[in-house]
Amino acid sequence: MIPLAKPVMGPREEELVLEVLRSGRLSLGPMLPRFEEAFAARLGVAHASAVSSGTAGLHLALRAAGVKEGDEVVTSPFSFVASANAPLFEGARPVFADIDPRTLNLDPAAARAAVTDRTAAVLPVHVFGQPAAVPAFEAFGLPIVEDACEALGAVHADGTPVGASGHPAVFAFYANKQLATGEGGMLVTADAETKERVDSERNQGRAPNMDWLDHDRLGFNYRLSDLQCALGVAQLERLDAMLADRAKVAGWYRDALSGVEGLELPYEDDGTRGWFVYVVQLPRDADRDATVRALAERGVQSKPYFPAIHLFAFYRERFGHREGEFPVCEDVAARSIALPFFPALGEGAVAQVAEALRGVLESRHGGGAAGAS
Ligand SMILES: *Cc1c(COP(=O)(O)O)cnc(C)c1O
């Protein structure tokens, strides 16, 4: 089976993890600032705070942006569920707006229309590593928190790296991301006060001087261990090579899949995407779930990606969401599948995936496994 994702790990990761093990400093040791400083330098931002996950980073970023109970946060329904859940941790409500059918990112005009006098922040997601329209959201005059969890390596049209616009932005390091530490995240910001607050809140609200007894605010345990930071330092050293490999794999897919009738390939503008996944939209008359099953029978893992968040049972029940609210998102979500995509995926494997998908889609007209009904 060709898997969906696979991290790149080598001797350098082993060496740095061993260094931490032998040092005895397993958490809050020197590897933490080493990872943070290297990450900030790489992005060209003033501050970076490592946290236990991207979700934890989004939670702390929203707190730092002042989001509180009863507030609304305008965000995308086409994302990983964490970006919509994060406002709920503070008793705020995620208010969805539809997406742009090309970039699949939150549509600025729709987002603007969703703003009310209770809107406390806008939370754009750089979905699949495609830069969101941050300058358009800045024009709203509201705090912005960027979900850059899928966008390491992405660059805005003006050359600014995604995450380096100055707003709190959050990256994630789960095993399938561009940079993997198993679990983990990084909150970057231009603001020193935000950095200080996040560093305290990830560590039980402890005072910056680490005085055991002085907890001057509510906090959490959102720390990232030095073992994970060691992986992060090693992964950063090879990040450019990994990103280049992902872009190369995307190019092979583009060549192998263009010409498949009715299949929509990822939007490609001027090369600003930080390739995270390879998601295609199936022809409208193809059965998405049957296609996923038929691909599995041919040795190719794939999955629906993403389902629309507002149509999840929890969101329907809690907020009364229903079909038809965000037609672009719903149409895209019903047709999108992620194909195997990782730096070490070879050209032969890409050809095999493309052949399998082509075969499955062609067989739908001849009563094959992926038939429309
Ligand atoms: C991965 C991801 C997150 C964070 O995930 P964690 O598993 O908590 O690190 C948040 N938003 C998006 C869009 C993601 O893809």
mmCIF file of all heavy atoms in Angstrom, residues 70-120:
data_model
loop_
_atom_site.group_PDB
_atom_site.id
_atom_site.type_symbol
_atom_site.label_atom_id
_atom_site.label_comp_id
_atom_site.label_asym_id
_atom_site.label_seq_id
_atom_site.Cartn_x
_atom_site.Cartn_y
_atom_site.Cartn_z
ATOM 1 N N GLY A 70 -18.307 34.845 24.556
ATOM 2 C CA GLY A 70 -19.348 35.626 23.888
ATOM 3 C C GLY A 70 -18.888 36.282 22.591
ATOM 4 O O GLY A 70 -19.710 36.777 21.825
ATOM 5 N N ASP A 71 -17.583 36.282 22.357
ATOM 6 C CA ASP A 71 -17.061 36.881 21.116
ATOM 7 C C ASP A 71 -17.315 35.964 19.919
ATOM 8 O O ASP A 71 -17.621 34.783 20.085
ATOM 9 C CB ASP A 71 -15.539 37.097 21.223
ATOM 10 C CG ASP A 71 -15.181 38.276 22.114
ATOM 11 O OD1 ASP A 71 -16.077 39.082 22.429
ATOM 12 O OD2 ASP A 71 -14.004 38.379 22.496
ATOM 13 N N GLU A 72 -17.142 36.545 18.740
ATOM 14 C CA GLU A 72 -17.195 35.764 17.511
ATOM 15 C C GLU A 72 -15.843 35.831 16.797
ATOM 16 O O GLU A 72 -15.160 36.858 16.845
ATOM 17 C CB GLU A 72 -18.286 36.307 16.575
ATOM 18 C CG GLU A 72 -19.682 36.137 17.154
ATOM 19 C CD GLU A 72 -20.787 36.739 16.287
ATOM 20 O OE1 GLU A 72 -20.468 37.431 15.289
ATOM 21 O OE2 GLU A 72 -21.970 36.506 16.620
ATOM 22 N N VAL A 73 -15.494 34.724 16.161
ATOM 23 C CA VAL A 73 -14.248 34.655 15.384
ATOM 24 C C VAL A 73 -14.621 34.173 13.978
ATOM 25 O O VAL A 73 -15.180 33.087 13.826
ATOM 26 C CB VAL A 73 -13.244 33.685 16.035
ATOM 27 C CG1 VAL A 73 -12.007 33.527 15.151
ATOM 28 C CG2 VAL A 73 -12.852 34.169 17.431
ATOM 29 N N VAL A 74 -14.351 35.000 12.981
ATOM 30 C CA VAL A 74 -14.701 34.635 11.601
ATOM 31 C C VAL A 74 -13.612 33.734 11.030
ATOM 32 O O VAL A 74 -12.415 34.067 11.085
ATOM 33 C CB VAL A 74 -14.873 35.903 10.736
ATOM 34 C CG1 VAL A 74 -15.061 35.523 9.266
ATOM 35 C CG2 VAL A 74 -16.068 36.711 11.238
ATOM 36 N N THR A 75 -14.012 32.572 10.512
ATOM 37 C CA THR A 75 -13.027 31.612 10.028
ATOM 38 C C THR A 75 -13.597 30.734 8.919
ATOM 39 O O THR A 75 -14.759 30.896 8.516
ATOM 40 C CB THR A 75 -12.482 30.770 11.204
ATOM 41 O OG1 THR A 75 -11.338 30.030 10.763
ATOM 42 C CG2 THR A 75 -13.529 29.802 11.745
ATOM 43 N N SER A 76 -12.782 29.810 8.433
ATOM 44 C CA SER A 76 -13.154 28.985 7.286
ATOM 45 C C SER A 76 -13.788 27.664 7.706
ATOM 46 O O SER A 76 -13.274 26.995 8.602
ATOM 47 C CB SER A 76 -11.910 28.689 6.442
ATOM 48 O OG SER A 76 -12.245 27.800 5.400
ATOM 49 N N PRO A 77 -14.854 27.246 6.995
ATOM 50 C CA PRO A 77 -15.427 25.926 7.265
ATOM 51 C C PRO A 77 -14.657 24.819 6.537
ATOM 52 O O PRO A 77 -14.938 23.648 6.754
ATOM 53 C CB PRO A 77 -16.847 26.044 6.693
ATOM 54 C CG PRO A 77 -16.713 27.026 5.568
ATOM 55 C CD PRO A 77 -15.619 27.991 5.966
ATOM 56 N N PHE A 78 -13.702 25.209 5.676
ATOM 57 C CA PHE A 78 -12.927 24.216 4.926
ATOM 58 C C PHE A 78 -11.519 24.185 5.496
ATOM 59 O O PHE A 78 -10.615 24.903 5.058
ATOM 60 C CB PHE A 78 -12.896 24.570 3.438
ATOM 61 C CG PHE A 78 -12.302 23.474 2.583
ATOM 62 C CD1 PHE A 78 -12.971 22.263 2.412
ATOM 63 C CD2 PHE A 78 -11.073 23.642 1.967
ATOM 64 C CE1 PHE A 78 -12.421 21.242 1.638
ATOM 65 C CE2 PHE A 78 -10.524 22.630 1.178
ATOM 66 C CZ PHE A 78 -11.194 21.421 1.024
ATOM 67 N N SER A 79 -11.349 23.370 6.553
ATOM 68 C CA SER A 79 -10.092 23.334 7.297
ATOM 69 C C SER A 79 -10.072 22.070 8.125
ATOM 70 O O SER A 79 -11.054 21.321 8.176
ATOM 71 C CB SER A 79 -10.010 24.568 8.209
ATOM 72 O OG SER A 79 -8.879 24.526 9.054
ATOM 73 N N PHE A 80 -8.944 21.839 8.787
ATOM 74 C CA PHE A 80 -8.906 20.826 9.831
ATOM 75 C C PHE A 80 -9.677 21.397 11.025
ATOM 76 O O PHE A 80 -9.628 22.594 11.288
ATOM 77 C CB PHE A 80 -7.444 20.537 10.204
ATOM 78 C CG PHE A 80 -7.271 19.513 11.273
ATOM 79 C CD1 PHE A 80 -7.751 18.223 11.105
ATOM 80 C CD2 PHE A 80 -6.617 19.829 12.450
ATOM 81 C CE1 PHE A 80 -7.585 17.269 12.095
ATOM 82 C CE2 PHE A 80 -6.439 18.884 13.442
ATOM 83 C CZ PHE A 80 -6.925 17.596 13.267
ATOM 84 N N VAL A 81 -10.403 20.534 11.728
ATOM 85 C CA VAL A 81 -11.376 20.999 12.727
ATOM 86 C C VAL A 81 -10.758 21.853 13.841
ATOM 87 O O VAL A 81 -11.454 22.656 14.482
ATOM 88 C CB VAL A 81 -12.138 19.778 13.316
ATOM 89 C CG1 VAL A 81 -11.222 18.920 14.189
ATOM 90 C CG2 VAL A 81 -13.394 20.193 14.057
ATOM 91 N N ALA A 82 -9.450 21.745 14.047
ATOM 92 C CA ALA A 82 -8.797 22.482 15.138
ATOM 93 C C ALA A 82 -8.995 23.989 15.037
ATOM 94 O O ALA A 82 -9.149 24.672 16.057
ATOM 95 C CB ALA A 82 -7.300 22.164 15.166
ATOM 96 N N SER A 83 -9.001 24.539 13.820
ATOM 97 C CA SER A 83 -9.101 25.997 13.681
ATOM 98 C C SER A 83 -10.478 26.499 14.112
ATOM 99 O O SER A 83 -10.606 27.617 14.609
ATOM 100 C CB SER A 83 -8.780 26.437 12.251
ATOM 101 O OG SER A 83 -9.560 25.717 11.307
ATOM 102 N N ALA A 84 -11.508 25.669 13.940
ATOM 103 C CA ALA A 84 -12.853 26.061 14.390
ATOM 104 C C ALA A 84 -13.041 25.768 15.879
ATOM 105 O O ALA A 84 -13.757 26.486 16.576
ATOM 106 C CB ALA A 84 -13.910 25.326 13.568
ATOM 107 N N ASN A 85 -12.412 24.719 16.365
ATOM 108 C CA ASN A 85 -12.547 24.369 17.786
ATOM 109 C C ASN A 85 -11.882 25.388 18.707
ATOM 110 O O ASN A 85 -12.366 25.641 19.810
ATOM 111 C CB ASN A 85 -11.916 22.998 18.063
ATOM 112 C CG ASN A 85 -12.793 21.836 17.607
ATOM 113 O OD1 ASN A 85 -13.967 22.027 17.311
ATOM 114 N ND2 ASN A 85 -12.216 20.654 17.543
ATOM 115 N N ALA A 86 -10.761 25.962 18.255
ATOM 116 C CA ALA A 86 -9.963 26.808 19.147
ATOM 117 C C ALA A 86 -10.763 27.960 19.779
ATOM 118 O O ALA A 86 -10.659 28.166 20.990
ATOM 119 C CB ALA A 86 -8.717 27.322 18.425
ATOM 120 N N PRO A 87 -11.590 28.701 19.026
ATOM 121 C CA PRO A 87 -12.385 29.759 19.673
ATOM 122 C C PRO A 87 -13.313 29.198 20.766
ATOM 123 O O PRO A 87 -13.546 29.859 21.789
ATOM 124 C CB PRO A 87 -13.207 30.352 18.526
ATOM 125 C CG PRO A 87 -12.442 30.018 17.290
ATOM 126 C CD PRO A 87 -11.771 28.710 17.556
ATOM 127 N N LEU A 88 -13.807 27.970 20.556
ATOM 128 C CA LEU A 88 -14.733 27.373 21.526
ATOM 129 C C LEU A 88 -14.058 27.152 22.878
ATOM 130 O O LEU A 88 -14.726 27.174 23.921
ATOM 131 C CB LEU A 88 -15.275 26.040 20.991
ATOM 132 C CG LEU A 88 -16.192 26.165 19.768
ATOM 133 C CD1 LEU A 88 -16.448 24.800 19.142
ATOM 134 C CD2 LEU A 88 -17.514 26.812 20.177
ATOM 135 N N PHE A 89 -12.739 26.934 22.870
ATOM 136 C CA PHE A 89 -12.031 26.739 24.147
ATOM 137 C C PHE A 89 -12.171 27.966 25.049
ATOM 138 O O PHE A 89 -12.045 27.868 26.259
ATOM 139 C CB PHE A 89 -10.526 26.489 23.928
ATOM 140 C CG PHE A 89 -10.199 25.296 23.062
ATOM 141 C CD1 PHE A 89 -8.955 25.212 22.446
ATOM 142 C CD2 PHE A 89 -11.095 24.258 22.869
ATOM 143 C CE1 PHE A 89 -8.624 24.126 21.657
ATOM 144 C CE2 PHE A 89 -10.769 23.163 22.075
ATOM 145 C CZ PHE A 89 -9.530 23.105 21.464
ATOM 146 N N GLU A 90 -12.391 29.139 24.426
ATOM 147 C CA GLU A 90 -12.519 30.376 25.205
ATOM 148 C C GLU A 90 -13.980 30.817 25.309
ATOM 149 O O GLU A 90 -14.255 31.947 25.713
ATOM 150 C CB GLU A 90 -11.687 31.490 24.566
ATOM 151 C CG GLU A 90 -10.188 31.298 24.746
ATOM 152 C CD GLU A 90 -9.780 31.297 26.217
ATOM 153 O OE1 GLU A 90 -10.177 32.221 26.952
ATOM 154 O OE2 GLU A 90 -9.081 30.340 26.636
ATOM 155 N N GLY A 91 -14.904 29.954 24.913
ATOM 156 C CA GLY A 91 -16.316 30.337 24.973
ATOM 157 C C GLY A 91 -16.714 31.289 23.862
ATOM 158 O O GLY A 91 -17.768 31.925 23.924
ATOM 159 N N ALA A 92 -15.870 31.418 22.852
ATOM 160 C CA ALA A 92 -16.203 32.257 21.702
ATOM 161 C C ALA A 92 -16.802 31.367 20.613
ATOM 162 O O ALA A 92 -16.683 30.150 20.654
ATOM 163 C CB ALA A 92 -14.963 32.978 21.177
ATOM 164 N N ARG A 93 -17.447 31.995 19.635
ATOM 165 C CA ARG A 93 -18.130 31.237 18.604
ATOM 166 C C ARG A 93 -17.423 31.373 17.258
ATOM 167 O O ARG A 93 -17.167 32.484 16.790
ATOM 168 C CB ARG A 93 -19.570 31.769 18.486
ATOM 169 C CG ARG A 93 -20.340 31.092 17.395
ATOM 170 C CD ARG A 93 -21.711 31.721 17.195
ATOM 171 N NE ARG A 93 -22.298 31.145 15.999
ATOM 172 C CZ ARG A 93 -23.551 30.721 15.895
ATOM 173 N NH1 ARG A 93 -24.377 30.871 16.897
ATOM 174 N NH2 ARG A 93 -23.973 30.182 14.782
ATOM 175 N N PRO A 94 -17.111 30.228 16.603
ATOM 176 C CA PRO A 94 -16.581 30.326 15.253
ATOM 177 C C PRO A 94 -17.710 30.659 14.292
ATOM 178 O O PRO A 94 -18.737 29.974 14.263
ATOM 179 C CB PRO A 94 -16.024 28.921 14.976
ATOM 180 C CG PRO A 94 -16.793 28.013 15.881
ATOM 181 C CD PRO A 94 -17.266 28.829 17.060
ATOM 182 N N VAL A 95 -17.564 31.752 13.550
ATOM 183 C CA VAL A 95 -18.555 32.144 12.540
ATOM 184 C C VAL A 95 -17.927 31.877 11.177
ATOM 185 O O VAL A 95 -16.886 32.434 10.848
ATOM 186 C CB VAL A 95 -18.926 33.635 12.701
ATOM 187 C CG1 VAL A 95 -19.796 34.097 11.537
ATOM 188 C CG2 VAL A 95 -19.635 33.852 14.029
ATOM 189 N N PHE A 96 -18.571 30.985 10.408
ATOM 190 C CA PHE A 96 -17.973 30.579 9.139
ATOM 191 C C PHE A 96 -18.394 31.505 8.002
ATOM 192 O O PHE A 96 -19.460 32.127 8.047
ATOM 193 C CB PHE A 96 -18.399 29.149 8.802
ATOM 194 C CG PHE A 96 -17.952 28.141 9.832
ATOM 195 C CD1 PHE A 96 -18.884 27.397 10.551
ATOM 196 C CD2 PHE A 96 -16.607 27.940 10.090
ATOM 197 C CE1 PHE A 96 -18.477 26.470 11.503
ATOM 198 C CE2 PHE A 96 -16.187 27.014 11.040
ATOM 199 C CZ PHE A 96 -17.127 26.277 11.752
ATOM 200 N N ALA A 97 -17.517 31.563 6.994
ATOM 201 C CA ALA A 97 -17.851 32.250 5.741
ATOM 202 C C ALA A 97 -17.308 31.376 4.627
ATOM 203 O O ALA A 97 -16.386 30.580 4.838
ATOM 204 C CB ALA A 97 -17.220 33.636 5.717
ATOM 205 N N ASP A 98 -17.873 31.509 3.441
ATOM 206 C CA ASP A 98 -17.524 30.583 2.363
ATOM 207 C C ASP A 98 -16.117 30.853 1.830
ATOM 208 O O ASP A 98 -15.492 31.869 2.136
ATOM 209 C CB ASP A 98 -18.574 30.638 1.246
ATOM 210 C CG ASP A 98 -18.764 29.267 0.582
ATOM 211 O OD1 ASP A 98 -17.889 28.387 0.756
ATOM 212 O OD2 ASP A 98 -19.795 29.074 -0.102
ATOM 213 N N ILE A 99 -15.665 29.893 1.011
ATOM 214 C CA ILE A 99 -14.285 29.936 0.522
ATOM 215 C C ILE A 99 -14.229 30.323 -0.955
ATOM 216 O O ILE A 99 -15.225 30.277 -1.672
ATOM 217 C CB ILE A 99 -13.595 28.565 0.715
ATOM 218 C CG1 ILE A 99 -14.338 27.441 -0.031
ATOM 219 C CG2 ILE A 99 -13.480 28.252 2.198
ATOM 220 C CD1 ILE A 99 -13.594 26.109 -0.060
ATOM 221 N N ASP A 100 -13.025 30.692 -1.374
ATOM 222 C CA ASP A 100 -12.756 30.984 -2.779
ATOM 223 C C ASP A 100 -12.591 29.647 -3.515
ATOM 224 O O ASP A 100 -11.811 28.810 -3.083
ATOM 225 C CB ASP A 100 -11.457 31.818 -2.838
ATOM 226 C CG ASP A 100 -11.040 32.156 -4.265
ATOM 227 O OD1 ASP A 100 -10.863 31.225 -5.086
ATOM 228 O OD2 ASP A 100 -10.875 33.341 -4.536
ATOM 229 N N PRO A 101 -13.310 29.435 -4.628
ATOM 230 C CA PRO A 101 -13.260 28.126 -5.280
ATOM 231 C C PRO A 101 -11.901 27.787 -5.900
ATOM 232 O O PRO A 101 -11.635 26.624 -6.161
ATOM 233 C CB PRO A 101 -14.339 28.232 -6.372
ATOM 234 C CG PRO A 101 -14.578 29.681 -6.567
ATOM 235 C CD PRO A 101 -14.248 30.363 -5.271
ATOM 236 N N ARG A 102 -11.057 28.776 -6.119
ATOM 237 C CA ARG A 102 -9.738 28.465 -6.686
ATOM 238 C C ARG A 102 -8.714 28.186 -5.596
ATOM 239 O O ARG A 102 -8.080 27.144 -5.573
ATOM 240 C CB ARG A 102 -9.231 29.649 -7.529
ATOM 241 C CG ARG A 102 -9.860 29.741 -8.911
ATOM 242 C CD ARG A 102 -9.207 30.896 -9.674
ATOM 243 N NE ARG A 102 -8.970 32.024 -8.748
ATOM 244 C CZ ARG A 102 -8.037 32.937 -8.894
ATOM 245 N NH1 ARG A 102 -7.224 32.889 -9.911
ATOM 246 N NH2 ARG A 102 -7.906 33.925 -8.018
ATOM 247 N N THR A 103 -8.553 29.109 -4.666
ATOM 248 C CA THR A 103 -7.523 28.944 -3.629
ATOM 249 C C THR A 103 -7.997 28.038 -2.495
ATOM 250 O O THR A 103 -7.192 27.551 -1.719
ATOM 251 C CB THR A 103 -7.147 30.299 -3.025
ATOM 252 O OG1 THR A 103 -8.293 30.828 -2.330
ATOM 253 C CG2 THR A 103 -6.708 31.293 -4.096
ATOM 254 N N LEU A 104 -9.296 27.848 -2.365
ATOM 255 C CA LEU A 104 -9.939 27.075 -1.292
ATOM 256 C C LEU A 104 -9.762 27.735 0.078
ATOM 257 O O LEU A 104 -10.035 27.124 1.116
ATOM 258 C CB LEU A 104 -9.452 25.621 -1.262
ATOM 259 C CG LEU A 104 -9.486 24.876 -2.605
ATOM 260 C CD1 LEU A 104 -9.113 23.410 -2.415
ATOM 261 C CD2 LEU A 104 -10.846 24.999 -3.275
ATOM 262 N N ASN A 105 -9.302 28.983 0.082
ATOM 263 C CA ASN A 105 -9.145 29.740 1.323
ATOM 264 C C ASN A 105 -10.353 30.642 1.567
ATOM 265 O O ASN A 105 -11.076 30.986 0.625
ATOM 266 C CB ASN A 105 -7.884 30.610 1.247
ATOM 267 C CG ASN A 105 -6.622 29.818 1.568
ATOM 268 O OD1 ASN A 105 -6.631 28.974 2.463
ATOM 269 N ND2 ASN A 105 -5.548 30.087 0.847
ATOM 270 N N LEU A 106 -10.520 31.035 2.835
ATOM 271 C CA LEU A 106 -11.578 31.961 3.242
ATOM 272 C C LEU A 106 -11.664 33.122 2.249
ATOM 273 O O LEU A 106 -10.663 33.779 1.953
ATOM 274 C CB LEU A 106 -11.239 32.474 4.647
ATOM 275 C CG LEU A 106 -12.244 33.331 5.400
ATOM 276 C CD1 LEU A 106 -13.569 32.593 5.572
ATOM 277 C CD2 LEU A 106 -11.660 33.694 6.779
ATOM 278 N N ASP A 107 -12.868 33.356 1.731
ATOM 279 C CA ASP A 107 -13.098 34.414 0.749
ATOM 280 C C ASP A 107 -13.251 35.752 1.483
ATOM 281 O O ASP A 107 -14.140 35.886 2.337
ATOM 282 C CB ASP A 107 -14.368 34.072 -0.034
ATOM 283 C CG ASP A 107 -14.771 35.193 -0.972
ATOM 284 O OD1 ASP A 107 -13.891 35.719 -1.662
ATOM 285 O OD2 ASP A 107 -15.959 35.546 -0.992
ATOM 286 N N PRO A 108 -12.382 36.742 1.189
ATOM 287 C CA PRO A 108 -12.423 38.003 1.952
ATOM 288 C C PRO A 108 -13.795 38.694 1.929
ATOM 289 O O PRO A 108 -14.227 39.217 2.957
ATOM 290 C CB PRO A 108 -11.355 38.868 1.277
ATOM 291 C CG PRO A 108 -10.397 37.883 0.687
ATOM 292 C CD PRO A 108 -11.246 36.708 0.253
ATOM 293 N N ALA A 109 -14.475 38.681 0.784
ATOM 294 C CA ALA A 109 -15.779 39.364 0.728
ATOM 295 C C ALA A 109 -16.798 38.648 1.610
ATOM 296 O O ALA A 109 -17.571 39.286 2.342
ATOM 297 C CB ALA A 109 -16.273 39.420 -0.720
ATOM 298 N N ALA A 110 -16.786 37.321 1.576
ATOM 299 C CA ALA A 110 -17.705 36.548 2.419
ATOM 300 C C ALA A 110 -17.359 36.752 3.901
ATOM 301 O O ALA A 110 -18.252 36.872 4.754
ATOM 302 C CB ALA A 110 -17.630 35.067 2.055
ATOM 303 N N ALA A 111 -16.073 36.812 4.193
ATOM 304 C CA ALA A 111 -15.640 37.015 5.580
ATOM 305 C C ALA A 111 -16.093 38.384 6.077
ATOM 306 O O ALA A 111 -16.611 38.521 7.186
ATOM 307 C CB ALA A 111 -14.121 36.884 5.694
ATOM 308 N N ARG A 112 -15.939 39.384 5.217
ATOM 309 C CA ARG A 112 -16.351 40.754 5.576
ATOM 310 C C ARG A 112 -17.852 40.782 5.901
ATOM 311 O O ARG A 112 -18.288 41.409 6.866
ATOM 312 C CB ARG A 112 -16.015 41.692 4.416
ATOM 313 C CG ARG A 112 -16.700 43.015 4.436
ATOM 314 C CD ARG A 112 -16.031 44.028 5.322
ATOM 315 N NE ARG A 112 -14.862 44.615 4.668
ATOM 316 C CZ ARG A 112 -14.137 45.598 5.201
ATOM 317 N NH1 ARG A 112 -14.455 46.095 6.366
ATOM 318 N NH2 ARG A 112 -13.103 46.080 4.566
ATOM 319 N N ALA A 113 -18.626 40.072 5.107
ATOM 320 C CA ALA A 113 -20.080 40.045 5.311
ATOM 321 C C ALA A 113 -20.457 39.330 6.609
ATOM 322 O O ALA A 113 -21.561 39.517 7.125
ATOM 323 C CB ALA A 113 -20.760 39.380 4.112
ATOM 324 N N ALA A 114 -19.545 38.494 7.132
ATOM 325 C CA ALA A 114 -19.840 37.737 8.358
ATOM 326 C C ALA A 114 -19.442 38.499 9.621
ATOM 327 O O ALA A 114 -19.728 38.057 10.732
ATOM 328 C CB ALA A 114 -19.125 36.389 8.311
ATOM 329 N N VAL A 115 -18.774 39.648 9.443
ATOM 330 C CA VAL A 115 -18.329 40.438 10.600
ATOM 331 C C VAL A 115 -19.528 41.123 11.249
ATOM 332 O O VAL A 115 -20.398 41.656 10.565
ATOM 333 C CB VAL A 115 -17.279 41.489 10.164
ATOM 334 C CG1 VAL A 115 -16.996 42.486 11.285
ATOM 335 C CG2 VAL A 115 -15.978 40.801 9.731
ATOM 336 N N THR A 116 -19.596 41.039 12.582
ATOM 337 C CA THR A 116 -20.636 41.745 13.333
ATOM 338 C C THR A 116 -19.958 42.575 14.425
ATOM 339 O O THR A 116 -18.732 42.574 14.530
ATOM 340 C CB THR A 116 -21.599 40.759 14.039
ATOM 341 O OG1 THR A 116 -20.903 40.159 15.145
ATOM 342 C CG2 THR A 116 -22.090 39.667 13.104
ATOM 343 N N ASP A 117 -20.759 43.239 15.257
ATOM 344 C CA ASP A 117 -20.106 44.017 16.319
ATOM 345 C C ASP A 117 -19.558 43.120 17.436
ATOM 346 O O ASP A 117 -18.929 43.603 18.365
ATOM 347 C CB ASP A 117 -21.032 45.119 16.857
ATOM 348 C CG ASP A 117 -22.369 44.583 17.307
ATOM 349 O OD1 ASP A 117 -22.503 43.343 17.429
ATOM 350 O OD2 ASP A 117 -23.289 45.402 17.537
ATOM 351 N N ARG A 118 -19.815 41.822 17.322
ATOM 352 C CA ARG A 118 -19.208 40.905 18.300
ATOM 353 C C ARG A 118 -17.944 40.228 17.785
ATOM 354 O O ARG A 118 -17.303 39.448 18.489
ATOM 355 C CB ARG A 118 -20.227 39.825 18.700
ATOM 356 C CG ARG A 118 -21.161 40.288 19.800
ATOM 357 C CD ARG A 118 -22.043 39.153 20.228
ATOM 358 N NE ARG A 118 -22.822 38.672 19.090
ATOM 359 C CZ ARG A 118 -24.076 38.225 19.176
ATOM 360 N NH1 ARG A 118 -24.662 38.161 20.352
ATOM 361 N NH2 ARG A 118 -24.726 37.811 18.107
ATOM 362 N N THR A 119 -17.585 40.499 16.524
ATOM 363 C CA THR A 119 -16.390 39.854 15.961
ATOM 364 C C THR A 119 -15.140 40.377 16.662
ATOM 365 O O THR A 119 -14.866 41.580 16.642
ATOM 366 C CB THR A 119 -16.275 40.135 14.441
ATOM 367 O OG1 THR A 119 -17.506 39.778 13.818
ATOM 368 C CG2 THR A 119 -15.133 39.322 13.846
ATOM 369 N N ALA A 120 -14.399 39.453 17.268
ATOM 370 C CA ALA A 120 -13.197 39.849 18.010
ATOM 371 C C ALA A 120 -11.921 39.557 17.234
ATOM 372 O O ALA A 120 -10.866 40.109 17.549
ATOM 373 C CB ALA A 120 -13.147 39.133 19.355
#
